Amino acid sequence: MARKDFDPDTVQPDGRPPARAVLFDPAKPGAWRGSVPGEALDGPVTVLAYGNDTPGEGPRLHVHPYDETFVVVAGRARFFVGDEVIEAGVGEVVLGPKGVPHRFENLGPGRLQTIDIHHSPRWIQTDLD
């Protein structure tokens, strides 16, 4: 399906060059495998890679002053976002709205791997537990 959502002649490049950064080393152990701040790419979002092999394990409850989008790329997760509980699997996306405390855990079996997109050029977080 061809898309034409806007007229390319109406958008002018802002002069930024393409950029590249390493998000994670696949051989590195541990749950937090890496992050790339948007500032490093001169972009508006920060990208994190998270993964663990232990059901019930995940990041602690925390909050951000911006939205966070989670993409599940392996396994299943249970997200706690404010008063809501959302289960998500491979290929699904969950939004954590700004100012709303959230956390998630591996539902198992096996590895949970997420790509977490922080809608900010810097990772800013306050842990609540």
PDB file of all heavy atoms in Angstrom, residues 32 48 50 58-66 68 70 79-82 96-104 116 118 123-129:
ATOM      1  N   TRP A  32      19.845  -4.308  32.163  1.00  0.00           N
ATOM      2  CA  TRP A  32      19.926  -3.058  31.404  1.00  0.00           C
ATOM      3  C   TRP A  32      21.099  -3.188  30.466  1.00  0.00           C
ATOM      4  O   TRP A  32      22.240  -3.139  30.874  1.00  0.00           O
ATOM      5  CB  TRP A  32      20.089  -1.855  32.327  1.00  0.00           C
ATOM      6  CG  TRP A  32      18.825  -1.575  33.041  1.00  0.00           C
ATOM      7  CD1 TRP A  32      18.553  -1.849  34.352  1.00  0.00           C
ATOM      8  CD2 TRP A  32      17.630  -1.036  32.499  1.00  0.00           C
ATOM      9  NE1 TRP A  32      17.264  -1.494  34.649  1.00  0.00           N
ATOM     10  CE2 TRP A  32      16.672  -0.995  33.527  1.00  0.00           C
ATOM     11  CE3 TRP A  32      17.263  -0.578  31.234  1.00  0.00           C
ATOM     12  CZ2 TRP A  32      15.388  -0.511  33.337  1.00  0.00           C
ATOM     13  CZ3 TRP A  32      15.984  -0.098  31.050  1.00  0.00           C
ATOM     14  CH2 TRP A  32      15.066  -0.064  32.095  1.00  0.00           C
ATOM     15  N   LEU A  48      16.359   2.888  25.192  1.00  0.00           N
ATOM     16  CA  LEU A  48      16.981   1.948  26.119  1.00  0.00           C
ATOM     17  C   LEU A  48      16.668   0.525  25.676  1.00  0.00           C
ATOM     18  O   LEU A  48      15.602   0.262  25.127  1.00  0.00           O
ATOM     19  CB  LEU A  48      16.429   2.120  27.533  1.00  0.00           C
ATOM     20  CG  LEU A  48      16.933   3.276  28.379  1.00  0.00           C
ATOM     21  CD1 LEU A  48      16.504   4.595  27.819  1.00  0.00           C
ATOM     22  CD2 LEU A  48      16.441   3.132  29.794  1.00  0.00           C
ATOM     23  N   TYR A  50      16.258  -3.240  27.407  1.00  0.00           N
ATOM     24  CA  TYR A  50      16.116  -3.919  28.686  1.00  0.00           C
ATOM     25  C   TYR A  50      15.782  -5.377  28.420  1.00  0.00           C
ATOM     26  O   TYR A  50      15.009  -5.693  27.521  1.00  0.00           O
ATOM     27  CB  TYR A  50      14.983  -3.302  29.521  1.00  0.00           C
ATOM     28  CG  TYR A  50      14.744  -4.063  30.802  1.00  0.00           C
ATOM     29  CD1 TYR A  50      15.490  -3.784  31.932  1.00  0.00           C
ATOM     30  CD2 TYR A  50      13.829  -5.102  30.862  1.00  0.00           C
ATOM     31  CE1 TYR A  50      15.313  -4.514  33.098  1.00  0.00           C
ATOM     32  CE2 TYR A  50      13.649  -5.838  32.018  1.00  0.00           C
ATOM     33  CZ  TYR A  50      14.402  -5.538  33.131  1.00  0.00           C
ATOM     34  OH  TYR A  50      14.234  -6.269  34.274  1.00  0.00           O
ATOM     35  N   GLY A  58      11.900  -7.166  37.144  1.00  0.00           N
ATOM     36  CA  GLY A  58      11.773  -6.010  36.255  1.00  0.00           C
ATOM     37  C   GLY A  58      12.209  -4.748  36.958  1.00  0.00           C
ATOM     38  O   GLY A  58      12.600  -4.781  38.134  1.00  0.00           O
ATOM     39  N   PRO A  59      12.143  -3.624  36.255  1.00  0.00           N
ATOM     40  CA  PRO A  59      12.534  -2.343  36.850  1.00  0.00           C
ATOM     41  C   PRO A  59      11.639  -1.966  38.023  1.00  0.00           C
ATOM     42  O   PRO A  59      10.470  -2.353  38.076  1.00  0.00           O
ATOM     43  CB  PRO A  59      12.364  -1.347  35.711  1.00  0.00           C
ATOM     44  CG  PRO A  59      12.293  -2.154  34.474  1.00  0.00           C
ATOM     45  CD  PRO A  59      11.748  -3.487  34.865  1.00  0.00           C
ATOM     46  N   ARG A  60      12.186  -1.190  38.931  1.00  0.00           N
ATOM     47  CA  ARG A  60      11.412  -0.715  40.083  1.00  0.00           C
ATOM     48  C   ARG A  60      10.403   0.337  39.646  1.00  0.00           C
ATOM     49  O   ARG A  60      10.507   0.905  38.550  1.00  0.00           O
ATOM     50  CB  ARG A  60      12.359  -0.168  41.143  1.00  0.00           C
ATOM     51  CG  ARG A  60      13.132   1.018  40.655  1.00  0.00           C
ATOM     52  CD  ARG A  60      14.249   1.554  41.534  1.00  0.00           C
ATOM     53  NE  ARG A  60      14.161   1.163  42.900  1.00  0.00           N
ATOM     54  CZ  ARG A  60      15.196   1.040  43.703  1.00  0.00           C
ATOM     55  NH1 ARG A  60      16.417   1.278  43.256  1.00  0.00           N
ATOM     56  NH2 ARG A  60      15.038   0.695  44.953  1.00  0.00           N
ATOM     57  N   LEU A  61       9.438   0.624  40.500  1.00  0.00           N
ATOM     58  CA  LEU A  61       8.430   1.641  40.229  1.00  0.00           C
ATOM     59  C   LEU A  61       9.127   2.995  40.090  1.00  0.00           C
ATOM     60  O   LEU A  61       9.949   3.373  40.933  1.00  0.00           O
ATOM     61  CB  LEU A  61       7.406   1.682  41.372  1.00  0.00           C
ATOM     62  CG  LEU A  61       6.228   2.625  41.183  1.00  0.00           C
ATOM     63  CD1 LEU A  61       5.326   2.141  40.043  1.00  0.00           C
ATOM     64  CD2 LEU A  61       5.439   2.722  42.483  1.00  0.00           C
ATOM     65  N   HIS A  62       8.791   3.713  39.023  1.00  0.00           N
ATOM     66  CA  HIS A  62       9.430   5.002  38.762  1.00  0.00           C
ATOM     67  C   HIS A  62       8.489   5.880  37.945  1.00  0.00           C
ATOM     68  O   HIS A  62       7.426   5.447  37.509  1.00  0.00           O
ATOM     69  CB  HIS A  62      10.772   4.808  38.045  1.00  0.00           C
ATOM     70  CG  HIS A  62      10.642   4.141  36.709  1.00  0.00           C
ATOM     71  ND1 HIS A  62      10.564   2.772  36.550  1.00  0.00           N
ATOM     72  CD2 HIS A  62      10.557   4.655  35.463  1.00  0.00           C
ATOM     73  CE1 HIS A  62      10.464   2.477  35.267  1.00  0.00           C
ATOM     74  NE2 HIS A  62      10.443   3.598  34.583  1.00  0.00           N
ATOM     75  N   VAL A  63       8.910   7.131  37.730  1.00  0.00           N
ATOM     76  CA  VAL A  63       8.100   8.092  36.980  1.00  0.00           C
ATOM     77  C   VAL A  63       9.031   9.002  36.183  1.00  0.00           C
ATOM     78  O   VAL A  63      10.191   9.205  36.560  1.00  0.00           O
ATOM     79  CB  VAL A  63       7.183   8.895  37.943  1.00  0.00           C
ATOM     80  CG1 VAL A  63       7.988   9.777  38.870  1.00  0.00           C
ATOM     81  CG2 VAL A  63       6.123   9.675  37.188  1.00  0.00           C
ATOM     82  N   HIS A  64       8.511   9.512  35.059  1.00  0.00           N
ATOM     83  CA  HIS A  64       9.262  10.432  34.203  1.00  0.00           C
ATOM     84  C   HIS A  64       8.427  11.683  33.935  1.00  0.00           C
ATOM     85  O   HIS A  64       7.183  11.621  33.959  1.00  0.00           O
ATOM     86  CB  HIS A  64       9.553   9.793  32.830  1.00  0.00           C
ATOM     87  CG  HIS A  64      10.189   8.458  32.899  1.00  0.00           C
ATOM     88  ND1 HIS A  64      11.518   8.270  33.195  1.00  0.00           N
ATOM     89  CD2 HIS A  64       9.670   7.217  32.693  1.00  0.00           C
ATOM     90  CE1 HIS A  64      11.791   6.973  33.161  1.00  0.00           C
ATOM     91  NE2 HIS A  64      10.685   6.314  32.872  1.00  0.00           N
ATOM     92  N   PRO A  65       9.079  12.810  33.607  1.00  0.00           N
ATOM     93  CA  PRO A  65       8.337  14.026  33.253  1.00  0.00           C
ATOM     94  C   PRO A  65       7.973  14.062  31.762  1.00  0.00           C
ATOM     95  O   PRO A  65       7.693  15.127  31.219  1.00  0.00           O
ATOM     96  CB  PRO A  65       9.325  15.142  33.613  1.00  0.00           C
ATOM     97  CG  PRO A  65      10.663  14.531  33.374  1.00  0.00           C
ATOM     98  CD  PRO A  65      10.513  13.076  33.759  1.00  0.00           C
ATOM     99  N   TYR A  66       7.997  12.919  31.099  1.00  0.00           N
ATOM    100  CA  TYR A  66       7.670  12.775  29.677  1.00  0.00           C
ATOM    101  C   TYR A  66       7.107  11.374  29.462  1.00  0.00           C
ATOM    102  O   TYR A  66       7.235  10.506  30.315  1.00  0.00           O
ATOM    103  CB  TYR A  66       8.921  12.981  28.806  1.00  0.00           C
ATOM    104  CG  TYR A  66      10.110  12.174  29.282  1.00  0.00           C
ATOM    105  CD1 TYR A  66      10.200  10.797  29.033  1.00  0.00           C
ATOM    106  CD2 TYR A  66      11.136  12.765  30.005  1.00  0.00           C
ATOM    107  CE1 TYR A  66      11.256  10.043  29.502  1.00  0.00           C
ATOM    108  CE2 TYR A  66      12.206  12.018  30.462  1.00  0.00           C
ATOM    109  CZ  TYR A  66      12.254  10.664  30.206  1.00  0.00           C
ATOM    110  OH  TYR A  66      13.314   9.917  30.669  1.00  0.00           O
ATOM    111  N   GLU A  68       6.760   7.535  28.017  1.00  0.00           N
ATOM    112  CA  GLU A  68       7.680   6.445  27.693  1.00  0.00           C
ATOM    113  C   GLU A  68       6.888   5.390  26.919  1.00  0.00           C
ATOM    114  O   GLU A  68       5.776   5.029  27.316  1.00  0.00           O
ATOM    115  CB  GLU A  68       8.275   5.824  28.959  1.00  0.00           C
ATOM    116  CG  GLU A  68       9.287   4.735  28.656  1.00  0.00           C
ATOM    117  CD  GLU A  68       9.994   4.205  29.896  1.00  0.00           C
ATOM    118  OE1 GLU A  68       9.589   4.551  31.036  1.00  0.00           O
ATOM    119  OE2 GLU A  68      10.949   3.433  29.729  1.00  0.00           O
ATOM    120  N   PHE A  70       7.009   1.518  25.374  1.00  0.00           N
ATOM    121  CA  PHE A  70       7.681   0.228  25.507  1.00  0.00           C
ATOM    122  C   PHE A  70       7.315  -0.653  24.315  1.00  0.00           C
ATOM    123  O   PHE A  70       6.137  -0.802  24.008  1.00  0.00           O
ATOM    124  CB  PHE A  70       7.229  -0.494  26.782  1.00  0.00           C
ATOM    125  CG  PHE A  70       7.412   0.321  28.028  1.00  0.00           C
ATOM    126  CD1 PHE A  70       6.369   1.108  28.500  1.00  0.00           C
ATOM    127  CD2 PHE A  70       8.593   0.298  28.725  1.00  0.00           C
ATOM    128  CE1 PHE A  70       6.517   1.853  29.658  1.00  0.00           C
ATOM    129  CE2 PHE A  70       8.753   1.044  29.880  1.00  0.00           C
ATOM    130  CZ  PHE A  70       7.715   1.824  30.343  1.00  0.00           C
ATOM    131  N   PHE A  79       2.769  -4.933  32.716  1.00  0.00           N
ATOM    132  CA  PHE A  79       3.058  -3.528  32.985  1.00  0.00           C
ATOM    133  C   PHE A  79       2.081  -3.010  34.030  1.00  0.00           C
ATOM    134  O   PHE A  79       0.878  -3.285  33.962  1.00  0.00           O
ATOM    135  CB  PHE A  79       2.894  -2.694  31.705  1.00  0.00           C
ATOM    136  CG  PHE A  79       3.952  -2.964  30.681  1.00  0.00           C
ATOM    137  CD1 PHE A  79       3.822  -4.024  29.796  1.00  0.00           C
ATOM    138  CD2 PHE A  79       5.083  -2.165  30.598  1.00  0.00           C
ATOM    139  CE1 PHE A  79       4.791  -4.284  28.842  1.00  0.00           C
ATOM    140  CE2 PHE A  79       6.058  -2.419  29.656  1.00  0.00           C
ATOM    141  CZ  PHE A  79       5.916  -3.478  28.772  1.00  0.00           C
ATOM    142  N   PHE A  80       2.588  -2.272  34.979  1.00  0.00           N
ATOM    143  CA  PHE A  80       1.794  -1.585  35.990  1.00  0.00           C
ATOM    144  C   PHE A  80       1.949  -0.094  35.704  1.00  0.00           C
ATOM    145  O   PHE A  80       3.031   0.467  35.895  1.00  0.00           O
ATOM    146  CB  PHE A  80       2.296  -1.926  37.397  1.00  0.00           C
ATOM    147  CG  PHE A  80       2.255  -3.398  37.695  1.00  0.00           C
ATOM    148  CD1 PHE A  80       3.328  -4.218  37.359  1.00  0.00           C
ATOM    149  CD2 PHE A  80       1.145  -3.970  38.296  1.00  0.00           C
ATOM    150  CE1 PHE A  80       3.294  -5.583  37.628  1.00  0.00           C
ATOM    151  CE2 PHE A  80       1.103  -5.339  38.568  1.00  0.00           C
ATOM    152  CZ  PHE A  80       2.182  -6.139  38.230  1.00  0.00           C
ATOM    153  N   VAL A  81       0.882   0.535  35.193  1.00  0.00           N
ATOM    154  CA  VAL A  81       0.927   1.933  34.788  1.00  0.00           C
ATOM    155  C   VAL A  81      -0.189   2.651  35.532  1.00  0.00           C
ATOM    156  O   VAL A  81      -1.373   2.473  35.206  1.00  0.00           O
ATOM    157  CB  VAL A  81       0.762   2.080  33.257  1.00  0.00           C
ATOM    158  CG1 VAL A  81       0.886   3.537  32.851  1.00  0.00           C
ATOM    159  CG2 VAL A  81       1.765   1.215  32.505  1.00  0.00           C
ATOM    160  N   GLY A  82       0.190   3.405  36.552  1.00  0.00           N
ATOM    161  CA  GLY A  82      -0.829   4.000  37.418  1.00  0.00           C
ATOM    162  C   GLY A  82      -1.639   2.884  38.049  1.00  0.00           C
ATOM    163  O   GLY A  82      -1.068   1.949  38.622  1.00  0.00           O
ATOM    164  N   GLY A  96       3.463   4.529  28.674  1.00  0.00           N
ATOM    165  CA  GLY A  96       3.478   5.033  30.038  1.00  0.00           C
ATOM    166  C   GLY A  96       3.420   6.552  29.960  1.00  0.00           C
ATOM    167  O   GLY A  96       4.423   7.192  29.639  1.00  0.00           O
ATOM    168  N   PRO A  97       2.240   7.158  30.205  1.00  0.00           N
ATOM    169  CA  PRO A  97       2.121   8.612  30.083  1.00  0.00           C
ATOM    170  C   PRO A  97       2.978   9.357  31.100  1.00  0.00           C
ATOM    171  O   PRO A  97       3.236   8.856  32.204  1.00  0.00           O
ATOM    172  CB  PRO A  97       0.639   8.869  30.357  1.00  0.00           C
ATOM    173  CG  PRO A  97      -0.042   7.561  30.130  1.00  0.00           C
ATOM    174  CD  PRO A  97       0.959   6.519  30.532  1.00  0.00           C
ATOM    175  N   LYS A  98       3.409  10.541  30.736  1.00  0.00           N
ATOM    176  CA  LYS A  98       4.240  11.350  31.629  1.00  0.00           C
ATOM    177  C   LYS A  98       3.536  11.574  32.956  1.00  0.00           C
ATOM    178  O   LYS A  98       2.305  11.704  33.017  1.00  0.00           O
ATOM    179  CB  LYS A  98       4.611  12.682  30.987  1.00  0.00           C
ATOM    180  CG  LYS A  98       3.460  13.643  30.822  1.00  0.00           C
ATOM    181  CD  LYS A  98       3.960  14.924  30.190  1.00  0.00           C
ATOM    182  CE  LYS A  98       2.817  15.895  29.992  1.00  0.00           C
ATOM    183  NZ  LYS A  98       3.284  17.142  29.396  1.00  0.00           N
ATOM    184  N   GLY A  99       4.325  11.555  34.030  1.00  0.00           N
ATOM    185  CA  GLY A  99       3.789  11.806  35.359  1.00  0.00           C
ATOM    186  C   GLY A  99       3.051  10.648  35.991  1.00  0.00           C
ATOM    187  O   GLY A  99       2.606  10.758  37.130  1.00  0.00           O
ATOM    188  N   VAL A 100       2.905   9.515  35.271  1.00  0.00           N
ATOM    189  CA  VAL A 100       2.191   8.353  35.804  1.00  0.00           C
ATOM    190  C   VAL A 100       3.216   7.296  36.222  1.00  0.00           C
ATOM    191  O   VAL A 100       3.987   6.816  35.383  1.00  0.00           O
ATOM    192  CB  VAL A 100       1.204   7.763  34.770  1.00  0.00           C
ATOM    193  CG1 VAL A 100       0.519   6.531  35.325  1.00  0.00           C
ATOM    194  CG2 VAL A 100       0.181   8.807  34.347  1.00  0.00           C
ATOM    195  N   PRO A 101       3.275   6.923  37.506  1.00  0.00           N
ATOM    196  CA  PRO A 101       4.231   5.908  37.949  1.00  0.00           C
ATOM    197  C   PRO A 101       4.006   4.587  37.207  1.00  0.00           C
ATOM    198  O   PRO A 101       2.862   4.204  36.942  1.00  0.00           O
ATOM    199  CB  PRO A 101       3.927   5.753  39.441  1.00  0.00           C
ATOM    200  CG  PRO A 101       3.312   7.058  39.833  1.00  0.00           C
ATOM    201  CD  PRO A 101       2.497   7.471  38.633  1.00  0.00           C
ATOM    202  N   HIS A 102       5.119   3.910  36.889  1.00  0.00           N
ATOM    203  CA  HIS A 102       5.011   2.653  36.165  1.00  0.00           C
ATOM    204  C   HIS A 102       6.211   1.749  36.441  1.00  0.00           C
ATOM    205  O   HIS A 102       7.251   2.196  36.895  1.00  0.00           O
ATOM    206  CB  HIS A 102       4.872   2.902  34.660  1.00  0.00           C
ATOM    207  CG  HIS A 102       5.984   3.713  34.080  1.00  0.00           C
ATOM    208  ND1 HIS A 102       5.965   5.087  34.074  1.00  0.00           N
ATOM    209  CD2 HIS A 102       7.148   3.358  33.510  1.00  0.00           C
ATOM    210  CE1 HIS A 102       7.068   5.534  33.515  1.00  0.00           C
ATOM    211  NE2 HIS A 102       7.812   4.500  33.160  1.00  0.00           N
ATOM    212  N   ARG A 103       5.986   0.483  36.153  1.00  0.00           N
ATOM    213  CA  ARG A 103       7.018  -0.533  36.209  1.00  0.00           C
ATOM    214  C   ARG A 103       6.517  -1.702  35.380  1.00  0.00           C
ATOM    215  O   ARG A 103       5.363  -1.723  34.963  1.00  0.00           O
ATOM    216  CB  ARG A 103       7.324  -0.982  37.639  1.00  0.00           C
ATOM    217  CG  ARG A 103       6.202  -1.738  38.323  1.00  0.00           C
ATOM    218  CD  ARG A 103       6.596  -2.147  39.751  1.00  0.00           C
ATOM    219  NE  ARG A 103       5.566  -2.943  40.373  1.00  0.00           N
ATOM    220  CZ  ARG A 103       5.455  -4.264  40.264  1.00  0.00           C
ATOM    221  NH1 ARG A 103       6.331  -4.958  39.538  1.00  0.00           N
ATOM    222  NH2 ARG A 103       4.488  -4.919  40.862  1.00  0.00           N
ATOM    223  N   PHE A 104       7.406  -2.679  35.138  1.00  0.00           N
ATOM    224  CA  PHE A 104       6.970  -3.887  34.445  1.00  0.00           C
ATOM    225  C   PHE A 104       7.801  -5.058  34.913  1.00  0.00           C
ATOM    226  O   PHE A 104       8.854  -4.886  35.536  1.00  0.00           O
ATOM    227  CB  PHE A 104       7.018  -3.738  32.918  1.00  0.00           C
ATOM    228  CG  PHE A 104       8.375  -3.434  32.345  1.00  0.00           C
ATOM    229  CD1 PHE A 104       9.220  -4.448  31.928  1.00  0.00           C
ATOM    230  CD2 PHE A 104       8.792  -2.126  32.176  1.00  0.00           C
ATOM    231  CE1 PHE A 104      10.459  -4.180  31.378  1.00  0.00           C
ATOM    232  CE2 PHE A 104      10.025  -1.835  31.616  1.00  0.00           C
ATOM    233  CZ  PHE A 104      10.862  -2.865  31.220  1.00  0.00           C
ATOM    234  N   ASP A 116      12.761   0.501  25.067  1.00  0.00           N
ATOM    235  CA  ASP A 116      12.022   1.534  25.798  1.00  0.00           C
ATOM    236  C   ASP A 116      12.392   2.898  25.208  1.00  0.00           C
ATOM    237  O   ASP A 116      13.567   3.275  25.213  1.00  0.00           O
ATOM    238  CB  ASP A 116      12.361   1.489  27.287  1.00  0.00           C
ATOM    239  CG  ASP A 116      12.164   0.097  27.886  1.00  0.00           C
ATOM    240  OD1 ASP A 116      11.472  -0.733  27.263  1.00  0.00           O
ATOM    241  OD2 ASP A 116      12.719  -0.158  28.965  1.00  0.00           O
ATOM    242  N   HIS A 118      12.136   6.774  25.481  1.00  0.00           N
ATOM    243  CA  HIS A 118      11.872   7.919  26.355  1.00  0.00           C
ATOM    244  C   HIS A 118      11.705   9.140  25.460  1.00  0.00           C
ATOM    245  O   HIS A 118      12.609   9.468  24.691  1.00  0.00           O
ATOM    246  CB  HIS A 118      13.033   8.129  27.330  1.00  0.00           C
ATOM    247  CG  HIS A 118      13.130   7.058  28.359  1.00  0.00           C
ATOM    248  ND1 HIS A 118      13.112   7.331  29.698  1.00  0.00           N
ATOM    249  CD2 HIS A 118      13.237   5.712  28.256  1.00  0.00           C
ATOM    250  CE1 HIS A 118      13.209   6.203  30.387  1.00  0.00           C
ATOM    251  NE2 HIS A 118      13.286   5.200  29.519  1.00  0.00           N
ATOM    252  N   TRP A 123      17.542  10.832  29.545  1.00  0.00           N
ATOM    253  CA  TRP A 123      16.837   9.914  30.446  1.00  0.00           C
ATOM    254  C   TRP A 123      16.720  10.610  31.786  1.00  0.00           C
ATOM    255  O   TRP A 123      17.725  10.868  32.465  1.00  0.00           O
ATOM    256  CB  TRP A 123      17.632   8.612  30.551  1.00  0.00           C
ATOM    257  CG  TRP A 123      17.032   7.541  31.399  1.00  0.00           C
ATOM    258  CD1 TRP A 123      15.866   7.555  32.090  1.00  0.00           C
ATOM    259  CD2 TRP A 123      17.603   6.253  31.636  1.00  0.00           C
ATOM    260  NE1 TRP A 123      15.663   6.364  32.736  1.00  0.00           N
ATOM    261  CE2 TRP A 123      16.732   5.546  32.483  1.00  0.00           C
ATOM    262  CE3 TRP A 123      18.767   5.631  31.221  1.00  0.00           C
ATOM    263  CZ2 TRP A 123      16.981   4.253  32.914  1.00  0.00           C
ATOM    264  CZ3 TRP A 123      19.018   4.350  31.663  1.00  0.00           C
ATOM    265  CH2 TRP A 123      18.129   3.668  32.493  1.00  0.00           C
ATOM    266  N   ILE A 124      15.497  10.919  32.194  1.00  0.00           N
ATOM    267  CA  ILE A 124      15.212  11.611  33.458  1.00  0.00           C
ATOM    268  C   ILE A 124      14.223  10.742  34.216  1.00  0.00           C
ATOM    269  O   ILE A 124      13.145  10.430  33.698  1.00  0.00           O
ATOM    270  CB  ILE A 124      14.602  13.009  33.213  1.00  0.00           C
ATOM    271  CG1 ILE A 124      15.514  13.856  32.312  1.00  0.00           C
ATOM    272  CG2 ILE A 124      14.320  13.709  34.528  1.00  0.00           C
ATOM    273  CD1 ILE A 124      14.843  15.094  31.774  1.00  0.00           C
ATOM    274  N   GLN A 125      14.560  10.347  35.441  1.00  0.00           N
ATOM    275  CA  GLN A 125      13.725   9.384  36.164  1.00  0.00           C
ATOM    276  C   GLN A 125      13.807   9.607  37.659  1.00  0.00           C
ATOM    277  O   GLN A 125      14.866   9.920  38.187  1.00  0.00           O
ATOM    278  CB  GLN A 125      14.203   7.970  35.819  1.00  0.00           C
ATOM    279  CG  GLN A 125      13.488   6.858  36.551  1.00  0.00           C
ATOM    280  CD  GLN A 125      13.893   5.495  36.004  1.00  0.00           C
ATOM    281  OE1 GLN A 125      13.846   5.283  34.803  1.00  0.00           O
ATOM    282  NE2 GLN A 125      14.273   4.584  36.886  1.00  0.00           N
ATOM    283  N   THR A 126      12.691   9.404  38.347  1.00  0.00           N
ATOM    284  CA  THR A 126      12.664   9.362  39.810  1.00  0.00           C
ATOM    285  C   THR A 126      12.106   8.009  40.222  1.00  0.00           C
ATOM    286  O   THR A 126      10.990   7.646  39.838  1.00  0.00           O
ATOM    287  CB  THR A 126      11.794  10.488  40.390  1.00  0.00           C
ATOM    288  OG1 THR A 126      12.397  11.745  40.057  1.00  0.00           O
ATOM    289  CG2 THR A 126      11.687  10.360  41.910  1.00  0.00           C
ATOM    290  N   ASP A 127      12.921   7.222  40.981  1.00  0.00           N
ATOM    291  CA  ASP A 127      12.474   5.931  41.510  1.00  0.00           C
ATOM    292  C   ASP A 127      11.590   6.183  42.714  1.00  0.00           C
ATOM    293  O   ASP A 127      11.879   7.038  43.543  1.00  0.00           O
ATOM    294  CB  ASP A 127      13.667   5.076  41.886  1.00  0.00           C
ATOM    295  CG  ASP A 127      14.470   4.649  40.670  1.00  0.00           C
ATOM    296  OD1 ASP A 127      13.916   4.587  39.569  1.00  0.00           O
ATOM    297  OD2 ASP A 127      15.688   4.374  40.832  1.00  0.00           O
ATOM    298  N   LEU A 128      10.500   5.402  42.814  1.00  0.00           N
ATOM    299  CA  LEU A 128       9.516   5.617  43.874  1.00  0.00           C
ATOM    300  C   LEU A 128       9.514   4.537  44.937  1.00  0.00           C
ATOM    301  O   LEU A 128       8.777   4.635  45.903  1.00  0.00           O
ATOM    302  CB  LEU A 128       8.126   5.755  43.243  1.00  0.00           C
ATOM    303  CG  LEU A 128       7.984   6.897  42.249  1.00  0.00           C
ATOM    304  CD1 LEU A 128       6.636   6.856  41.561  1.00  0.00           C
ATOM    305  CD2 LEU A 128       8.205   8.228  42.942  1.00  0.00           C
ATOM    306  N   ASP A 129      10.306   3.483  44.771  1.00  0.00           N
ATOM    307  CA  ASP A 129      10.405   2.455  45.816  1.00  0.00           C
ATOM    308  C   ASP A 129      11.841   2.036  46.033  1.00  0.00           C
ATOM    309  O   ASP A 129      12.732   2.468  45.393  1.00  0.00           O
ATOM    310  CB  ASP A 129       9.525   1.240  45.492  1.00  0.00           C
ATOM    311  CG  ASP A 129       9.957   0.474  44.256  1.00  0.00           C
ATOM    312  OD1 ASP A 129      10.939   0.850  43.604  1.00  0.00           O
ATOM    313  OD2 ASP A 129       9.278  -0.525  43.951  1.00  0.00           O
TER     314      ASP A 129
END
